[in-house]
Amino acid sequence: MRKSWSGSRVDLHIDLNPSTGRRAALESALRDAIRQGRLSAGTLLPSTRGLATELGLSRGTVTAAYDQLVEEGYLTTRPGSGTTVTDIPPKAVTSEPVTPIPAGPRHDLRPGLPDVSAFPARAWLAATRRVVADPRSMVLGAKDPQGRIELRAAVADYLGRTRGVVTSADRIVITSGYYQGLSLLSSVLARNGARTVAVEDPSHNAFRAVVRRAGLATPPVPVDAHGACVDALTHEADAVLLTPSHQYPTGVPLHPGRRQAVGAWARATGGLIIEDDYDGEYRYDRQPVGALQGIAPDRTVYCGTASKTLGPALRLAWMALPPQLVQPVVEAKQQADLYTESLSQLILADLITTHAYDRHVRATRLRYRRRRELLLARLSGVTGLDAHGVPAGLHTLVTLSADWPPEQEILSRCARQGIALRGLSELHIDPHGRPAGLLIGFAAPPEHAFRPAVDALFAALQKPATSPE
């Protein structure tokens, strides 16, 4: 007969073949589990008494089977340490070849990524202990598609205090990242009859794609030295997606006159402003520009995220919504994935309310400012590379003069040296005739690795001498 066991020290399903003797069946089952990798090297097996009880065998049968596998080299027994799978299984496990996972870049200078080695682990662990120990938090029980009220209240207070956002906890929706938030909002707009969301040109191509997947058209809004040219907006646009504090990718803020103009457009046409404040906390020469949402709170969806301050894998973002959009977005969130994981929401709420989050942002702001200054100093010594944008954000845009190699050639050259960057061309809706450029992130490398990364970048950027004609 077939039996299964789950011992006191390991849980493992194991079948005993009824056509053989009990000892032989146990030996064969354990041998196969080791060969197949289901029992990995170093695994501690149950005691002979425990396994005998689980399988309904005599202890002597189990002891004899263990002894036989020790003799064969499959198991190791040490007094006081129990029986473990040997470190070197006698037979290699045969399997289909596995495609190796590509290694990450040696020097990660992609835009929009923070230094995750600076994650405030000590503060996060302290907050975790407080949250888990608080019986009121119901960490693993309560769920709300709108997001935990603790985080919504903390975010509403934080945004009002630091970004000038006019909102309240009942107008905040927590999402699993900005990507999901934009997807939910786009689907709601499309269901409500919207057809067009104007987007900056250039802008993040992945987010343009999110809007288009909802069936919405994305006509371009040109960007110049003063940000998005919002006078290009028409009555036909149902909404506009902007990065007003630090335009992605050019790095310029939206001019004050244009901020007022887009607010007036929204009020006059009933249009919606979608504000992506993706790195609004990071301004290095002055106090960060306040959120555009404060100009037209009832016509603006403010979107923020912890991805740039703590880490993209955390998957926590928020939207401050006009009242009429709260319920439709909450329903869309519930249909998408029910709700965002609760524990990290409560921990982030604790970090915000204890101001540990503020302290972390201030510390990283100082670190990133120094890195940006180092990068710009190196760029100033290279002819034909022009940096753009105000002192803000996590990247610098560098355009290339006409005598430089093509953008793709430079990116390929850097990639061969293990350096990850991003090119400007792919961010234009139509790259034909538009300037080439590089987006150089200065935040992602750990502190000790930033200077070597910059050295490697400029070694790869050494412009070949122009051949005489």
Side-chain angles (χ1 to χ4, degrees):
M1 64 180 176
R2 291 185 172 271
K3 298 183 178 181
S4 64
W5 57 270
S6 58
S8 58
R9 296 188 178 180
V10 295
D11 287 339
L12 176 70
H13 178 83
I14 191 167
D15 286 324
L16 300 184
N17 190 336
S19 65
T20 62
R22 292 187 171 190
R23 173 183 161 183
L26 179 56
E27 290 174 9
S28 177
L30 290 172
R31 194 181 292 113
D32 288 346
I34 295 170
R35 286 173 171 169
Q36 294 166 9
R38 293 187 292 114
L39 278 175
S40 59
T43 298
L44 179 65
L45 298 187
S47 66
T48 55
R49 186 187 304 277
L51 182 55
T53 300
E54 291 283 349
L55 296 181
L57 303 175
S58 70
R59 186 180 181 188
T61 297
V62 176
T63 300
Y66 276 15
D67 289 344
Q68 179 61 33
L69 294 177
V70 168
E71 290 294 324
E72 294 178 11
Y74 287 94
L75 301 179
T76 300
T77 299
R78 294 187 179 88
S81 300
T83 302
T84 58
V85 177
T86 188
D87 290 339
I88 307 176
K91 279 192 176 182
V93 177
T94 58
S95 62
E96 294 295 322
V98 177
T99 303
I101 298 174
R106 187 162 64 249
H107 303 294
D108 196 346
L109 296 175
R110 289 174 293 178
L113 298 177
D115 178 2
V116 294
S117 72
F119 181 81
R122 183 175 299 178
W124 185 271
L125 290 172
T128 303
R129 286 192 291 269
R130 288 191 292 269
V131 165
V132 173
D134 186 351
R136 299 169 300 173
S137 66
M138 297 178 61
V139 176
L140 302 179
K143 54 187 181 292
D144 186 340
Q146 188 169 352
R148 293 292 303 234
I149 182 59
E150 298 91 339
L151 181 57
R152 290 190 282 119
V155 165
D157 177 73
Y158 176 80
L159 295 180
R161 173 168 54 85
T162 65
R163 306 294 298 124
V165 173
V166 180
T167 191
S168 57
D170 60 342
R171 291 172 58 172
I172 299 288
V173 174
I174 305 299
T175 62
S176 301
Y178 169 65
Y179 191 93
Q180 184 192 52
L182 182 59
S183 177
L184 298 175
L185 180 61
S186 299
S187 67
V188 167
L189 293 179
R191 284 199 297 269
N192 288 349
R195 296 185 177 183
T196 299
V197 175
V199 297
E200 297 168 324
D201 185 20
S203 61
H204 203 305
N205 48 1
F207 298 145
R208 291 200 302 266
V210 169
V211 176
R212 289 171 179 167
R213 277 198 294 272
L216 299 165
T218 56
V221 178
V223 174
D224 62 18
H226 299 293
C229 300
V230 295
D231 57 352
L233 290 170
T234 66
H235 283 70
E236 284 71 33
D238 298 291
V240 59
L241 175 57
L242 299 173
T243 51
S245 294
H246 185 235
Q247 201 278 329
Y248 185 91
T250 65
V252 297
L254 189 63
H255 187 276
R258 294 184 181 181
R259 292 165 70 94
Q260 295 293 334
V262 73
W265 167 84
R267 288 187 291 269
T269 66
L272 186 70
I273 303 167
I274 306 171
E275 178 177 10
D276 176 7
D277 197 29
Y278 70 102
D279 61 3
E281 296 92 346
Y282 292 114
R283 182 74 188 248
Y284 307 118
D285 61 338
R286 47 163 288 179
Q287 181 180 359
V289 176
L292 175 62
Q293 190 263 8
I295 294 176
D298 290 339
R299 301 306 316 162
T300 304
V301 175
Y302 174 93
C303 304
T305 175
S307 294
K308 305 299 184 288
T309 52
L310 294 174
L314 193 57
R315 310 311 301 147
L316 279 180
W318 41 84
M319 292 187 288
L321 295 158
Q324 70 274 15
L325 285 175
V326 173
Q327 190 58 36
V329 171
V330 171
E331 291 174 359
K333 169 67 175 174
Q334 188 168 24
Q335 293 166 8
D337 63 355
L338 295 182
Y339 55 91
T340 296
E341 181 270 323
S342 290
L343 180 58
S344 58
Q345 290 190 58
L346 291 169
I347 296 169
L348 180 57
D350 183 279
L351 292 179
I352 293 173
T353 55
T354 61
H355 301 296
Y357 186 72
D358 291 71
R359 291 190 292 273
H360 171 71
V361 170
R362 287 197 299 270
T364 52
R365 187 185 295 141
L366 178 61
R367 183 178 299 117
Y368 296 157
R369 187 193 73 188
R370 290 195 296 257
R371 294 186 186 190
R372 180 180 182 274
E373 290 171 351
L374 172 63
L375 176 62
L376 292 182
R378 295 290 296 272
L379 285 168
S380 66
V382 182
T383 303
L385 295 181
D386 296 318
H388 300 265
V390 296
L394 305 180
H395 78 274
T396 293
L397 171 64
V398 177
T399 53
L400 311 169
S401 62
D403 59 339
W404 271 77
E407 176 187 301
Q408 189 55 53
E409 180 181 326
I410 295 175
L411 292 172
S412 298
R413 185 193 305 171
C414 289
R416 288 193 295 271
Q417 300 300 317
I419 305 165
L421 302 172
R422 190 165 195 189
L424 176 61
S425 296
E426 65 175 309
L427 304 178
H428 287 291
I429 293 177
D430 179 6
H432 181 71
R434 306 299 294 269
L438 306 172
L439 275 69
I440 306 175
F442 48 78
E447 191 71 8
H448 71 276
F450 180 67
R451 285 181 181 271
V454 172
D455 291 340
L457 171 64
F458 282 90
L461 288 179
Q462 291 299 317
K463 185 173 60 170
T466 305
S467 302
E469 297 184 0

